[in-house]
Amino acid sequence: MQHGSLPPAQNSGHAEKPAAEKAPQSLYGGVTSRRVTVRDLASAKQRGERWPMLTAYDAPTAAVFDEAGIPVLLVGDSAGNCHLGYENTVPVTMDEMVMMSAAVVRGTKRALIVADLPFGSYQESPAQALHNAVRLMKEAGVGAVKLEGGERSAAATELLVQAGVPVMAHLGLTPQSVHAFGGYPVQGRGDEAAHQLLADAKTAQSAGAFAVVLEAVPAELAVQVTASLHIPTVGIGAGVGCDAQVLVWTDMAGMTGGRVPKFVKQYADLRATLGDAARAFSADVIGGSFPAAEHTFH
Ligand code: KIV
């Protein structure tokens, strides 16, 4: 696979700046003046370009990722356990998803914003899925929605796509089924499970999904699914053979307390950094060295 830009940075017509003054380098050329679209992602698959996706749940964090050139941000229902203090994704409501998604849209200029349809917001009927997807598009302004399941969500996906809602499917370890799974086990192991997952991926594609998340599946199976689809696969715990990779931002930046899954790479230790800042502020206040003269009005 080759690496490249998606979409290419727009040509401003100005003379080339020295390297140090250029926008931060990213896989996709930094911030451009238009949002990434699902068509850009389809072209990237054709060109063999990999792309990163991160979750975001609020405006300032989303702005940091947007400025860093992350082309797709997911307002995941992982907000349940990573942002809202629930035990898992199950309690997350549509109102919470709309509020967080609107904040992420407001905080960004360039990324495609995908919002999760939370548990109970689409399983009842395709009409219920459409009603809630429309809320995310009209009230929050997202560019696409994500829902869990292949064959079981095909009718909902079809109706959404017909109505003009881009749909990302989510297969493998689908966290909304945590109670049915009895935890978070790796999926798609064994011939029958692998066959079912491949069938689910093809069904999601036929129903019109523009991408498929593969969570916690064997790398070999993810390679097979990726080769079988013309839409991009987005891996999380699915090996390096997917077209794109997603991580939950609090995991990858070291904000999550306790254990993180084996598939997470921690790129920063923000929990420690923030704790140090809070302790330093506390010590300054207790010791009387904050506020100092430069922080004071007269
Ligand atoms: O909710 C979420 O963050 C997700 C990712 C793990 C793909 O669905």
Side-chain angles (χ1 to χ4, degrees):
M1 281 195 187
Q2 89 192 49
H3 293 254
S5 295
L6 179 163
Q10 302 220 328
N11 185 348
S12 64
H14 295 145
E16 185 79 348
K17 288 181 180 169
E21 283 179 44
K22 279 185 185 167
Q25 283 304 303
S26 79
L27 193 54
Y28 305 114
V31 179
T32 64
S33 59
R34 74 161 175 85
R35 283 204 188 259
V36 172
T37 66
V38 295
R39 285 183 60 191
D40 292 321
L41 304 181
S43 310
K45 171 123 185 174
Q46 280 168 7
R47 290 194 300 268
E49 283 178 20
R50 285 190 288 262
W51 44 274
M53 175 165 108
L54 282 174
T55 65
Y57 316 114
D58 61 60
T61 313
V64 170
F65 299 153
D66 200 44
E67 284 159 21
I70 301 292
V72 188
L73 293 178
L74 171 68
V75 188
D77 60 358
S78 53
N81 39 307
C82 299
H83 186 68
L84 297 172
Y86 298 132
E87 201 176 319
N88 51 47
T89 65
V90 173
V92 177
T93 66
M94 268 306 298
D95 285 347
E96 287 165 339
M97 288 306 303
V98 168
M99 192 196 69
M100 293 184 293
S101 303
V104 167
V105 170
R106 285 192 295 268
T108 54
K109 292 191 176 74
R110 176 178 177 271
L112 169 68
I113 310 301
V114 184
D116 259 330
L117 281 167
F119 180 65
S121 72
Y122 61 96
Q123 291 92 341
E124 220 171 279
S125 65
Q128 185 204 24
L130 181 59
H131 172 82
N132 286 315
V134 165
R135 278 197 69 192
L136 287 165
M137 293 187 89
K138 286 176 87 108
E139 295 176 38
V142 304
V145 302
K146 175 164 82 57
L147 49 72
E148 296 185 359
E151 287 176 4
R152 68 181 155 101
S153 298
T157 302
E158 253 172 47
L159 183 64
L160 264 56
V161 172
Q162 275 167 21
V165 181
V167 175
M168 180 180 273
H170 185 156
L171 303 177
L173 176 50
T174 46
Q176 291 173 12
S177 302
V178 57
H179 295 300
F181 288 143
Y184 298 100
V186 173
Q187 299 295 303
R189 280 192 168 141
D191 284 352
E192 200 182 320
H195 192 264
Q196 181 59 49
L197 195 133
L198 185 56
D200 274 328
K202 288 183 177 167
T203 303
Q205 174 175 269
S206 309
F210 72 87
V212 180
V213 170
L214 299 176
E215 178 162 357
V217 303
E220 299 75 13
L221 176 59
V223 166
Q224 200 187 342
V225 173
T226 303
S228 308
L229 300 184
H230 60 76
I231 58 173
T233 57
V234 187
I236 174 162
V240 75
C242 295
D243 298 301
Q245 295 289 330
V246 57
L247 282 177
V248 167
W249 91 260
T250 47
D251 290 346
M252 78 92 197
M255 273 295 283
T256 307
R259 252 187 88 239
V260 292
K262 170 188 161 86
F263 56 71
V264 171
K265 178 171 176 183
Q266 200 179 308
Y267 289 86
D269 193 359
L270 290 197
R271 199 176 172 88
T273 305
L274 218 47
D276 288 346
R279 276 183 288 275
F281 170 63
S282 175
D284 281 0
V285 170
I286 292 165
S289 60
F290 178 83
E294 66 268 30
H295 311 120
T296 304
F297 301 107
H298 293 288

